[in-house]
Every structure is written in C-alpha cells, then in structure tokens.
Amino acid sequence: MRFRNRLYQFMQGRNGVDAFAKFLNRISLGCFVSAIVFTFLSLVFLRHEANTAATVFRILYYVFYGIGIIVTIWWFFRVFSRNVAKRQAENTRFLYRMQKVKRRIASLKQQWKDRKTYKYFKCPQCGQRIRAPRHKGKIRVTCSKCSNVFITKT
Ligand SMILES: [Zn+2]
C-alpha cells in the first residue's frame, strides 16, 4: 500500500500510460520478438555455413533490437513526461490517425468482399473513392464530391 501511495505521488502531474504509450509498448515488444527470431535464424544459417544469410539476419537483429530500445525510451519519456498538455495533444492526434487507418482497413475489406459485384475507383480530379456495379459496360460517372464527370469501364 505504501509503495502504491509513493507511486501515485510520483505519477502526480505526469502523463502516465495513455493509448499512444500502449501502442509504443506493443511496437517495442514486436521489435524484441522479431530480434529474437532473427538471432535464431542467423544461428541456423551459420550452422549450415550460409554466411551471407547469417550476416543479413544478424544485421536485422541489430536493427530491430535498436528500434525496440528507441521505442522503449520513447515510452518512458511519454509516461513520465510533465508536459501533459503536449502529450495529450499527441495522444489525440494518434487516436485520430488510428481511426483513419481502421476505417481504411474496413473499407478495403468491404471492397474485397464485393469485388465481384462492384468496381471501385477514384475520381481523377479529387481522388474521392467511388463504386459502381460491375458488368454495365462503359458508364458516365459524376463525382459526388467535386461533381467532375468522367467515363469508366465497369
Ligand atoms: Zn471528384
């Protein structure tokens, strides 16, 4: 209990573990696991006297280990930072970006699911994503965003 109190006092006015910190934690864990796998592979290749491959995996080990260390330092910096306002702003930006990535993945999944019934394409003028039913031959499309009109095959 006393330790908990002291930890609580120590964390007062500091950023603590937020969503961005949790993400960094996962990245560093992934890097360290990869580093272990690469060490293992380099040893396997060394045993079979494939020295070039062994060297490549050795380098990959150093790279991933290095990134893991840097991300861990970044995690500590975030969690114990006293500039809470700035860290919270970073966290908000991070969450916003993650949401965008998630939405993009969901839309790609949807595209894959109805790839036989719909053709997906982008407006050549503004990049807006549009879909049209397949097998209708050449069609005239009006962009819903910039009302650019163009012709495409379905
Ligand atoms: Zn457009």
Side-chain angles (χ1 to χ4, degrees):
M1 209 58 214
R2 196 185 281 168
F3 172 74
R4 256 189 146 176
N5 267 339
R6 225 181 270 169
L7 185 69
Y8 179 75
Q9 264 172 22
F10 178 72
M11 288 312 289
Q12 278 299 311
R14 294 178 198 266
N15 189 53
V17 181
D18 54 14
F20 192 13
K22 279 181 190 160
F23 175 75
L24 291 177
N25 199 7
R26 253 175 274 151
I27 295 285
S28 69
L29 190 70
C31 284
F32 290 134
V33 170
S34 311
I36 291 168
V37 171
F38 288 135
T39 314
F40 177 73
L41 286 173
S42 93
L43 290 174
V44 167
F45 278 99
L46 210 58
R47 266 190 85 182
H48 294 87
E49 289 183 18
N51 288 321
T52 316
T55 309
V56 168
F57 284 120
R58 194 93 199 128
I59 291 167
L60 282 172
Y61 157 75
Y62 281 122
V63 168
F64 276 83
Y65 190 70
I67 296 170
I69 295 278
I70 290 165
V71 175
T72 303
I73 292 168
W74 192 0
W75 183 89
F76 273 99
F77 166 74
R78 274 200 76 70
V79 172
F80 299 117
S81 171
R82 286 183 185 281
N83 194 346
V84 177
K86 203 169 174 190
R87 299 292 89 78
Q88 274 178 355
E90 284 164 6
N91 194 50
T92 306
R93 269 204 303 276
F94 163 76
L95 288 172
Y96 175 72
R97 266 184 224 138
M98 281 305 275
Q99 217 168 43
K100 257 173 98 175
V101 170
K102 272 183 197 161
R103 241 182 281 146
R104 185 83 190 95
I105 291 170
S107 106
L108 283 173
K109 267 189 193 163
Q110 189 62 44
Q111 269 185 49
W112 180 253
K113 249 171 81 184
D114 44 46
R115 66 191 182 280
K116 279 175 187 147
T117 41
Y118 284 98
K119 191 195 172 178
Y120 286 82
F121 46 91
K122 273 183 181 178
C123 167
Q125 192 164 284
C126 71
Q128 167 79 2
R129 270 186 282 273
I130 305 166
R131 70 171 198 179
R134 277 198 184 280
H135 314 303
K136 303 270 182 218
K138 274 189 185 174
I139 55 161
R140 233 176 61 138
V141 180
T142 307
C143 174
S144 56
K145 198 173 169 191
C146 70
S147 35
N148 172 36
V149 177
F150 59 98
I151 290 175
T152 188
K153 262 165 76 178
T154 52

